[in-house]
Amino acid sequence: MNPMLETTEMIDVGNGPHTFVCLHGWCCRTGDFAFQAEGLSDIGRIFVLDWQHRLASRGETCDCQAICDDIAQAITDAGIERPVLCGHSLGGFLAAQLAYQQTLPLAGLLILDSALPLPPKIRELWQQAARTLESQPWDEVFPGIESPFFTDDEAGALQDSIIRGMKQQSHPLAIDLLDEICTYPWADELATINVPTHLVASEYGWLNLEGLQAFVPHATAERIVDSGHFITVFHGDQVNTIMREFALHST
């Protein structure tokens, strides 16, 4: 197992003409981008921010605006200019909001298997998961929400590492994040995104490429076959190729 998968701190590696700022998903870790940090550092800087750890350290409510303001400040503090913003899962939601806000100049936006613009069926599922977490352990939640997370071929140590990392997150923070995701008006903002945008969906995930392109018509899109939700881990080489080509054509 790649030891970087266990990372909970910021990853900041690489040097070159391109910069990627990567945002992990709900109750996930910077280590979900470990393969990208290793595979792309030859063409530029890979900056992976543990925005959820920062949120917990601040002790603030899970307000998406506050989270994005903190991410933007961290990017500025790191001396990063015009990055490709790359978000996986909930990280893709946050990346889209940052692109909408236009508080930072961006070279492009990569959304990796995010359920934007959050259809009612998924919204209801996640709201129910939040209610379950209020009184039940993590094991009672995963039978309802992880069905598109992994394929049969992805079973093993890496899958166990990902699930273990999610279960280590605090219940109150996980609940508040789910509730915030499910009440935020994502669709109201998507149509104003005007930077180069590329969408990458897993085969069994909840990203509706055509549905999201209806809001962001200039976005290009592709799907990784035979993949579960954690494409950065189990299909790291393909994701690296996508990120590399997108950076070359958007900067």
Side-chain angles (χ1 to χ4, degrees):
M1 182 188 305
N2 186 322
M4 290 184 71
L5 286 173
E6 300 291 347
T7 300
T8 58
E9 303 298 329
M10 178 182 67
I11 298 173
D12 190 359
V13 297
N15 187 18
H18 307 288
T19 302
F20 298 92
V21 171
C22 302
L23 304 176
H24 64 72
W26 172 77
C27 291
C28 294
R29 306 165 299 184
T30 56
D32 292 348
F33 284 99
F35 292 99
Q36 287 64 58
E38 293 180 352
L40 295 171
S41 59
D42 63 313
I43 66 165
R45 184 177 180 182
I46 316 300
F47 184 78
V48 190
L49 187 68
D50 192 339
W51 59 266
Q52 187 166 320
H53 176 75
R54 291 170 63 94
L55 171 62
S57 298
R58 295 195 307 273
E60 297 179 359
T61 60
C62 297
D63 176 74
C64 282
Q65 183 64 59
I67 294 171
C68 286
D69 288 346
D70 178 67
I71 292 170
Q73 187 62 56
I75 293 171
T76 300
D77 291 345
I80 294 172
E81 299 179 352
R82 292 196 74 249
V84 172
L85 199 56
C86 179
H88 174 251
S89 196
L90 174 55
F93 285 69
L94 299 174
Q97 184 176 349
L98 284 162
Y100 152 75
Q101 291 175 186
Q102 300 183 10
T103 54
L104 292 169
L106 300 177
L109 172 65
L110 267 168
I111 295 177
L112 306 180
D113 214 40
S114 301
L116 285 164
L118 199 57
K121 179 178 70 172
I122 305 307
R123 191 185 304 266
E124 293 171 6
L125 181 65
W126 287 356
Q127 287 174 323
Q128 181 57 50
R131 303 290 72 78
T132 301
L133 268 180
E134 290 176 341
S135 59
Q136 301 293 327
W138 279 99
D139 288 341
E140 296 300 317
V141 173
F142 277 98
I145 67 172
E146 94 288 4
S147 56
F149 279 9
F150 307 102
T151 67
D152 291 341
D153 292 338
E154 294 168 355
L158 288 178
Q159 175 180 321
D160 293 342
S161 172
I162 291 168
I163 294 178
R164 181 171 62 251
M166 296 180 78
K167 290 182 177 180
Q168 289 172 347
Q169 306 296 331
S170 76
H171 278 213
L173 187 62
I175 293 165
D176 288 349
L177 281 170
L178 280 175
D179 284 337
E180 177 68 10
I181 297 167
C182 292
T183 56
Y184 196 84
W186 301 104
D188 293 347
E189 301 181 350
L190 293 173
T192 64
I193 294 174
N194 60 8
V195 298
T197 301
H198 189 63
L199 317 174
V200 184
S202 67
E203 181 162 350
Y204 304 110
W206 292 320
L207 173 53
N208 181 330
L209 295 176
E210 294 77 13
L212 186 47
Q213 283 177 303
F215 288 92
V216 191
H218 69 274
T220 52
E222 61 187 292
R223 188 177 301 277
I224 296 178
V225 298
D226 296 326
S227 63
H229 181 54
F230 286 89
I231 53 177
T232 62
V233 175
F234 293 99
H235 298 269
D237 288 343
Q238 287 179 260
V239 172
N240 287 358
T241 297
I242 291 167
M243 292 175 66
R244 186 183 295 267
E245 292 179 352
F246 182 72
L248 291 173
H249 289 94
S250 62
T251 56

